Amino acid sequence: MKINRHRLPNGLRIVHVSDESMQMVYVNMLYGVGARNEQYEYTGIAHLFEHLMFEGTENIPSFDEPLERAGGENNAYTNNDITNYYISLPKQNAELAFWMESDRMCNVRLTQESVAVQRQVVIEEFKQEHLNRPYGDVSMLLRPMAYRKHPYRWSTIGRRMSHIAKVPVEVLNDFYNRYYTPSNAVLAVVGNISFEQVVEWSTKWFANIPASDYIPLELPVEPCQRRLRRKTVYRNVPQNALYMAFHMCGRGDSDFFPCDVISDILANGYSGRLKQRLMKKKRLFTKIDAFVSGNEHPGLFSIYARVADGVAVEKAEEAVWQELEQLQRQLVPKHEMEKVRNRFEADFLFRNMNGENLAGNIAIAEWRGVAEDLFDEVAHYRAVTAQQVRETASRLFRKGNSSVLYYLKR
């Protein structure tokens, strides 16, 4: 798969993949800003800004309406590292996406009225998803246990609802002017469109946006954790739950691939060790999962589990530690390693057959370094050995490197 690239004088990076078999064009605009770029006293504004970007401009009062008339769809997401906007349109209407994304890059409306509307939307989301939903505040509890300095210690939704309610419009304007700039963005285009056309429209709609003096923030380095951290909370939930988090490397580190393989060995599909041994055979849990955060800076390897009724949470935790210790003592058998590699390769190929997914993934890969690195991932996973898994597990699953949360029913 050939990736074409172009860079405008104002710093906007453009990557493109042509596929004439598609009838659609997928336009993905990634900004290198997430919750990690927020101030401690004003968290949740990266996610609030995602909402504000759909408030429209003087040129496009309603962002969704022209897209819907043209047969298109759009959406966005925010995490701790990036904010990503994506549009799909029939190929004959694709230029519309270039115009609309360029317009809101520099003309988004930040009035008292527009901000007030989206504040309320995000506050309601905060309540529904994190305060009123069972287990919804887990991330808000576990992150500050694991992180003491780094801004990963708060979730994308923010530390407190009051931060969203009270952030001044002036702070939002500063955030917009600093981060929503061409030099902090990657435009990825996939589908039935030529590279020449992409360059022409990108130049037409984005080249006149001024370059900025954007300088990435120097984020604090999280000190090495040396002692186990514990916390117990009581909530109105149907089952007791166990949450464990271990500090791991960042997404660009070579250890990331062994960590991700370990998460698949433990919990990918019903054949994962934790599900087979602790949930199905020993019946200690009714649900259990393991996953890596995939953050750009050093992230977390997490285990989330619902404890079966009548099982002491201490007994359930000890059973998890025994499985983690076995990974440190014994090499994973060849057939188990191969199963995990095959599953990853199949999932990777299936995900990237979708034009929308591919556009988002090459944008992220280009933001990290070069987009072509995306297609090396299968090889990286296949290169992970059982010995690497054991060595990585020994570094990862130390009690002093862990934060354990007991989330108990009242």
Side-chain angles (χ1 to χ4, degrees), residues 277-298:
R277 299 175 182 179
L278 304 188
M279 191 173 80
K280 187 175 180 181
K281 292 182 180 178
K282 295 185 179 180
R283 300 185 182 277
L284 299 175
F285 300 97
T286 60
K287 182 178 181 181
I288 191 164
D289 203 358
F291 54 91
V292 296
S293 62
N295 290 125
E296 296 307 306
H297 288 207

PDB file of all heavy atoms in Angstrom, residues 277-298:
ATOM      1  N   ARG A 277      -9.010 -19.761  32.977  1.00  0.00           N
ATOM      2  CA  ARG A 277      -8.625 -20.359  34.257  1.00  0.00           C
ATOM      3  C   ARG A 277      -9.374 -19.776  35.450  1.00  0.00           C
ATOM      4  O   ARG A 277      -9.782 -20.509  36.357  1.00  0.00           O
ATOM      5  CB  ARG A 277      -7.117 -20.191  34.464  1.00  0.00           C
ATOM      6  CG  ARG A 277      -6.279 -20.880  33.388  1.00  0.00           C
ATOM      7  CD  ARG A 277      -4.804 -20.575  33.576  1.00  0.00           C
ATOM      8  NE  ARG A 277      -3.979 -21.172  32.528  1.00  0.00           N
ATOM      9  CZ  ARG A 277      -2.657 -21.051  32.443  1.00  0.00           C
ATOM     10  NH1 ARG A 277      -2.013 -20.354  33.365  1.00  0.00           N
ATOM     11  NH2 ARG A 277      -1.985 -21.627  31.459  1.00  0.00           N
ATOM     12  N   LEU A 278      -9.518 -18.458  35.471  1.00  0.00           N
ATOM     13  CA  LEU A 278     -10.092 -17.817  36.653  1.00  0.00           C
ATOM     14  C   LEU A 278     -11.588 -17.563  36.543  1.00  0.00           C
ATOM     15  O   LEU A 278     -12.283 -17.532  37.551  1.00  0.00           O
ATOM     16  CB  LEU A 278      -9.374 -16.489  36.926  1.00  0.00           C
ATOM     17  CG  LEU A 278      -7.847 -16.576  37.086  1.00  0.00           C
ATOM     18  CD1 LEU A 278      -7.293 -15.233  37.534  1.00  0.00           C
ATOM     19  CD2 LEU A 278      -7.441 -17.673  38.055  1.00  0.00           C
ATOM     20  N   MET A 279     -12.060 -17.388  35.329  1.00  0.00           N
ATOM     21  CA  MET A 279     -13.487 -17.130  35.162  1.00  0.00           C
ATOM     22  C   MET A 279     -14.251 -18.422  34.862  1.00  0.00           C
ATOM     23  O   MET A 279     -15.229 -18.747  35.532  1.00  0.00           O
ATOM     24  CB  MET A 279     -13.700 -16.113  34.025  1.00  0.00           C
ATOM     25  CG  MET A 279     -15.118 -15.581  33.947  1.00  0.00           C
ATOM     26  SD  MET A 279     -15.291 -14.234  32.744  1.00  0.00           S
ATOM     27  CE  MET A 279     -15.381 -15.188  31.218  1.00  0.00           C
ATOM     28  N   LYS A 280     -13.774 -19.193  33.902  1.00  0.00           N
ATOM     29  CA  LYS A 280     -14.509 -20.387  33.479  1.00  0.00           C
ATOM     30  C   LYS A 280     -14.278 -21.572  34.414  1.00  0.00           C
ATOM     31  O   LYS A 280     -15.235 -22.230  34.851  1.00  0.00           O
ATOM     32  CB  LYS A 280     -14.102 -20.762  32.059  1.00  0.00           C
ATOM     33  CG  LYS A 280     -14.935 -21.887  31.457  1.00  0.00           C
ATOM     34  CD  LYS A 280     -14.564 -22.129  30.002  1.00  0.00           C
ATOM     35  CE  LYS A 280     -15.393 -23.263  29.408  1.00  0.00           C
ATOM     36  NZ  LYS A 280     -15.042 -23.524  28.000  1.00  0.00           N
ATOM     37  N   LYS A 281     -13.022 -21.868  34.751  1.00  0.00           N
ATOM     38  CA  LYS A 281     -12.724 -23.055  35.553  1.00  0.00           C
ATOM     39  C   LYS A 281     -12.902 -22.806  37.056  1.00  0.00           C
ATOM     40  O   LYS A 281     -13.607 -23.542  37.737  1.00  0.00           O
ATOM     41  CB  LYS A 281     -11.306 -23.542  35.254  1.00  0.00           C
ATOM     42  CG  LYS A 281     -11.146 -24.090  33.838  1.00  0.00           C
ATOM     43  CD  LYS A 281      -9.742 -24.610  33.609  1.00  0.00           C
ATOM     44  CE  LYS A 281      -9.596 -25.161  32.180  1.00  0.00           C
ATOM     45  NZ  LYS A 281      -8.217 -25.636  31.909  1.00  0.00           N
ATOM     46  N   LYS A 282     -12.258 -21.782  37.582  1.00  0.00           N
ATOM     47  CA  LYS A 282     -12.316 -21.534  39.022  1.00  0.00           C
ATOM     48  C   LYS A 282     -13.538 -20.708  39.439  1.00  0.00           C
ATOM     49  O   LYS A 282     -13.841 -20.639  40.645  1.00  0.00           O
ATOM     50  CB  LYS A 282     -11.036 -20.835  39.487  1.00  0.00           C
ATOM     51  CG  LYS A 282      -9.793 -21.704  39.325  1.00  0.00           C
ATOM     52  CD  LYS A 282      -8.566 -21.022  39.917  1.00  0.00           C
ATOM     53  CE  LYS A 282      -7.334 -21.916  39.780  1.00  0.00           C
ATOM     54  NZ  LYS A 282      -6.129 -21.265  40.364  1.00  0.00           N
ATOM     55  N   ARG A 283     -14.191 -20.061  38.485  1.00  0.00           N
ATOM     56  CA  ARG A 283     -15.397 -19.276  38.736  1.00  0.00           C
ATOM     57  C   ARG A 283     -15.192 -18.200  39.807  1.00  0.00           C
ATOM     58  O   ARG A 283     -16.069 -17.941  40.633  1.00  0.00           O
ATOM     59  CB  ARG A 283     -16.562 -20.194  39.118  1.00  0.00           C
ATOM     60  CG  ARG A 283     -16.906 -21.212  38.034  1.00  0.00           C
ATOM     61  CD  ARG A 283     -18.128 -22.020  38.390  1.00  0.00           C
ATOM     62  NE  ARG A 283     -18.410 -23.025  37.364  1.00  0.00           N
ATOM     63  CZ  ARG A 283     -19.078 -22.783  36.239  1.00  0.00           C
ATOM     64  NH1 ARG A 283     -19.530 -21.569  35.987  1.00  0.00           N
ATOM     65  NH2 ARG A 283     -19.300 -23.753  35.370  1.00  0.00           N
ATOM     66  N   LEU A 284     -14.027 -17.565  39.755  1.00  0.00           N
ATOM     67  CA  LEU A 284     -13.738 -16.482  40.688  1.00  0.00           C
ATOM     68  C   LEU A 284     -14.291 -15.146  40.195  1.00  0.00           C
ATOM     69  O   LEU A 284     -14.537 -14.235  40.995  1.00  0.00           O
ATOM     70  CB  LEU A 284     -12.222 -16.357  40.895  1.00  0.00           C
ATOM     71  CG  LEU A 284     -11.518 -17.573  41.491  1.00  0.00           C
ATOM     72  CD1 LEU A 284     -10.017 -17.351  41.529  1.00  0.00           C
ATOM     73  CD2 LEU A 284     -12.053 -17.847  42.894  1.00  0.00           C
ATOM     74  N   PHE A 285     -14.451 -15.042  38.876  1.00  0.00           N
ATOM     75  CA  PHE A 285     -14.898 -13.791  38.271  1.00  0.00           C
ATOM     76  C   PHE A 285     -16.050 -14.069  37.314  1.00  0.00           C
ATOM     77  O   PHE A 285     -16.163 -15.157  36.748  1.00  0.00           O
ATOM     78  CB  PHE A 285     -13.754 -13.131  37.486  1.00  0.00           C
ATOM     79  CG  PHE A 285     -12.553 -12.798  38.318  1.00  0.00           C
ATOM     80  CD1 PHE A 285     -11.452 -13.644  38.372  1.00  0.00           C
ATOM     81  CD2 PHE A 285     -12.511 -11.620  39.047  1.00  0.00           C
ATOM     82  CE1 PHE A 285     -10.335 -13.335  39.128  1.00  0.00           C
ATOM     83  CE2 PHE A 285     -11.405 -11.296  39.819  1.00  0.00           C
ATOM     84  CZ  PHE A 285     -10.311 -12.156  39.865  1.00  0.00           C
ATOM     85  N   THR A 286     -16.869 -13.056  37.111  1.00  0.00           N
ATOM     86  CA  THR A 286     -17.897 -13.134  36.068  1.00  0.00           C
ATOM     87  C   THR A 286     -17.466 -12.377  34.818  1.00  0.00           C
ATOM     88  O   THR A 286     -18.051 -12.540  33.748  1.00  0.00           O
ATOM     89  CB  THR A 286     -19.221 -12.552  36.565  1.00  0.00           C
ATOM     90  OG1 THR A 286     -19.022 -11.175  36.931  1.00  0.00           O
ATOM     91  CG2 THR A 286     -19.737 -13.334  37.759  1.00  0.00           C
ATOM     92  N   LYS A 287     -16.441 -11.562  34.962  1.00  0.00           N
ATOM     93  CA  LYS A 287     -15.906 -10.799  33.833  1.00  0.00           C
ATOM     94  C   LYS A 287     -14.488 -10.407  34.177  1.00  0.00           C
ATOM     95  O   LYS A 287     -14.200 -10.011  35.311  1.00  0.00           O
ATOM     96  CB  LYS A 287     -16.760  -9.546  33.604  1.00  0.00           C
ATOM     97  CG  LYS A 287     -16.343  -8.677  32.440  1.00  0.00           C
ATOM     98  CD  LYS A 287     -17.307  -7.489  32.304  1.00  0.00           C
ATOM     99  CE  LYS A 287     -16.916  -6.621  31.110  1.00  0.00           C
ATOM    100  NZ  LYS A 287     -17.846  -5.448  30.980  1.00  0.00           N
ATOM    101  N   ILE A 288     -13.578 -10.520  33.207  1.00  0.00           N
ATOM    102  CA  ILE A 288     -12.197 -10.114  33.456  1.00  0.00           C
ATOM    103  C   ILE A 288     -11.545  -9.749  32.132  1.00  0.00           C
ATOM    104  O   ILE A 288     -11.803 -10.377  31.103  1.00  0.00           O
ATOM    105  CB  ILE A 288     -11.398 -11.223  34.185  1.00  0.00           C
ATOM    106  CG1 ILE A 288     -10.045 -10.681  34.665  1.00  0.00           C
ATOM    107  CG2 ILE A 288     -11.240 -12.470  33.341  1.00  0.00           C
ATOM    108  CD1 ILE A 288      -9.371 -11.554  35.715  1.00  0.00           C
ATOM    109  N   ASP A 289     -10.730  -8.711  32.170  1.00  0.00           N
ATOM    110  CA  ASP A 289     -10.069  -8.254  30.947  1.00  0.00           C
ATOM    111  C   ASP A 289      -8.720  -7.650  31.307  1.00  0.00           C
ATOM    112  O   ASP A 289      -8.500  -7.219  32.445  1.00  0.00           O
ATOM    113  CB  ASP A 289     -10.935  -7.221  30.231  1.00  0.00           C
ATOM    114  CG  ASP A 289     -10.623  -7.125  28.738  1.00  0.00           C
ATOM    115  OD1 ASP A 289      -9.708  -7.836  28.277  1.00  0.00           O
ATOM    116  OD2 ASP A 289     -11.288  -6.345  28.038  1.00  0.00           O
ATOM    117  N   ALA A 290      -7.818  -7.627  30.335  1.00  0.00           N
ATOM    118  CA  ALA A 290      -6.505  -7.011  30.495  1.00  0.00           C
ATOM    119  C   ALA A 290      -6.198  -6.233  29.232  1.00  0.00           C
ATOM    120  O   ALA A 290      -6.468  -6.700  28.124  1.00  0.00           O
ATOM    121  CB  ALA A 290      -5.436  -8.077  30.745  1.00  0.00           C
ATOM    122  N   PHE A 291      -5.628  -5.045  29.375  1.00  0.00           N
ATOM    123  CA  PHE A 291      -5.349  -4.237  28.195  1.00  0.00           C
ATOM    124  C   PHE A 291      -4.260  -3.208  28.490  1.00  0.00           C
ATOM    125  O   PHE A 291      -3.994  -2.878  29.655  1.00  0.00           O
ATOM    126  CB  PHE A 291      -6.618  -3.540  27.699  1.00  0.00           C
ATOM    127  CG  PHE A 291      -7.329  -2.729  28.745  1.00  0.00           C
ATOM    128  CD1 PHE A 291      -7.045  -1.391  28.937  1.00  0.00           C
ATOM    129  CD2 PHE A 291      -8.283  -3.323  29.555  1.00  0.00           C
ATOM    130  CE1 PHE A 291      -7.690  -0.656  29.907  1.00  0.00           C
ATOM    131  CE2 PHE A 291      -8.954  -2.588  30.528  1.00  0.00           C
ATOM    132  CZ  PHE A 291      -8.646  -1.254  30.700  1.00  0.00           C
ATOM    133  N   VAL A 292      -3.645  -2.725  27.430  1.00  0.00           N
ATOM    134  CA  VAL A 292      -2.625  -1.674  27.539  1.00  0.00           C
ATOM    135  C   VAL A 292      -3.252  -0.355  27.119  1.00  0.00           C
ATOM    136  O   VAL A 292      -4.135  -0.314  26.257  1.00  0.00           O
ATOM    137  CB  VAL A 292      -1.391  -2.000  26.685  1.00  0.00           C
ATOM    138  CG1 VAL A 292      -0.711  -3.262  27.190  1.00  0.00           C
ATOM    139  CG2 VAL A 292      -1.755  -2.136  25.209  1.00  0.00           C
ATOM    140  N   SER A 293      -2.780   0.743  27.707  1.00  0.00           N
ATOM    141  CA  SER A 293      -3.371   2.045  27.406  1.00  0.00           C
ATOM    142  C   SER A 293      -2.946   2.563  26.042  1.00  0.00           C
ATOM    143  O   SER A 293      -3.694   3.280  25.386  1.00  0.00           O
ATOM    144  CB  SER A 293      -2.997   3.054  28.495  1.00  0.00           C
ATOM    145  OG  SER A 293      -1.592   3.236  28.540  1.00  0.00           O
ATOM    146  N   GLY A 294      -1.739   2.233  25.600  1.00  0.00           N
ATOM    147  CA  GLY A 294      -1.274   2.718  24.302  1.00  0.00           C
ATOM    148  C   GLY A 294      -0.977   4.199  24.280  1.00  0.00           C
ATOM    149  O   GLY A 294      -0.960   4.818  23.212  1.00  0.00           O
ATOM    150  N   ASN A 295      -0.715   4.802  25.432  1.00  0.00           N
ATOM    151  CA  ASN A 295      -0.392   6.225  25.488  1.00  0.00           C
ATOM    152  C   ASN A 295       0.976   6.518  24.883  1.00  0.00           C
ATOM    153  O   ASN A 295       1.857   5.657  24.863  1.00  0.00           O
ATOM    154  CB  ASN A 295      -0.394   6.709  26.939  1.00  0.00           C
ATOM    155  CG  ASN A 295      -1.793   6.737  27.542  1.00  0.00           C
ATOM    156  OD1 ASN A 295      -2.023   6.131  28.580  1.00  0.00           O
ATOM    157  ND2 ASN A 295      -2.722   7.423  26.895  1.00  0.00           N
ATOM    158  N   GLU A 296       1.145   7.755  24.442  1.00  0.00           N
ATOM    159  CA  GLU A 296       2.429   8.156  23.859  1.00  0.00           C
ATOM    160  C   GLU A 296       3.521   8.204  24.920  1.00  0.00           C
ATOM    161  O   GLU A 296       4.648   7.781  24.681  1.00  0.00           O
ATOM    162  CB  GLU A 296       2.296   9.531  23.196  1.00  0.00           C
ATOM    163  CG  GLU A 296       1.339   9.552  22.033  1.00  0.00           C
ATOM    164  CD  GLU A 296       1.656   8.482  21.002  1.00  0.00           C
ATOM    165  OE1 GLU A 296       2.801   8.428  20.541  1.00  0.00           O
ATOM    166  OE2 GLU A 296       0.749   7.707  20.662  1.00  0.00           O
ATOM    167  N   HIS A 297       3.202   8.729  26.088  1.00  0.00           N
ATOM    168  CA  HIS A 297       4.139   8.705  27.203  1.00  0.00           C
ATOM    169  C   HIS A 297       3.909   7.397  27.976  1.00  0.00           C
ATOM    170  O   HIS A 297       2.929   6.693  27.735  1.00  0.00           O
ATOM    171  CB  HIS A 297       3.912   9.916  28.097  1.00  0.00           C
ATOM    172  CG  HIS A 297       4.363  11.206  27.474  1.00  0.00           C
ATOM    173  ND1 HIS A 297       4.764  12.293  28.191  1.00  0.00           N
ATOM    174  CD2 HIS A 297       4.480  11.584  26.168  1.00  0.00           C
ATOM    175  CE1 HIS A 297       5.106  13.275  27.392  1.00  0.00           C
ATOM    176  NE2 HIS A 297       4.926  12.873  26.149  1.00  0.00           N
ATOM    177  N   PRO A 298       4.800   7.046  28.903  1.00  0.00           N
ATOM    178  CA  PRO A 298       4.609   5.793  29.638  1.00  0.00           C
ATOM    179  C   PRO A 298       3.200   5.643  30.181  1.00  0.00           C
ATOM    180  O   PRO A 298       2.669   6.537  30.855  1.00  0.00           O
ATOM    181  CB  PRO A 298       5.662   5.889  30.757  1.00  0.00           C
ATOM    182  CG  PRO A 298       6.766   6.652  30.113  1.00  0.00           C
ATOM    183  CD  PRO A 298       6.083   7.685  29.251  1.00  0.00           C
TER     184      PRO A 298
END
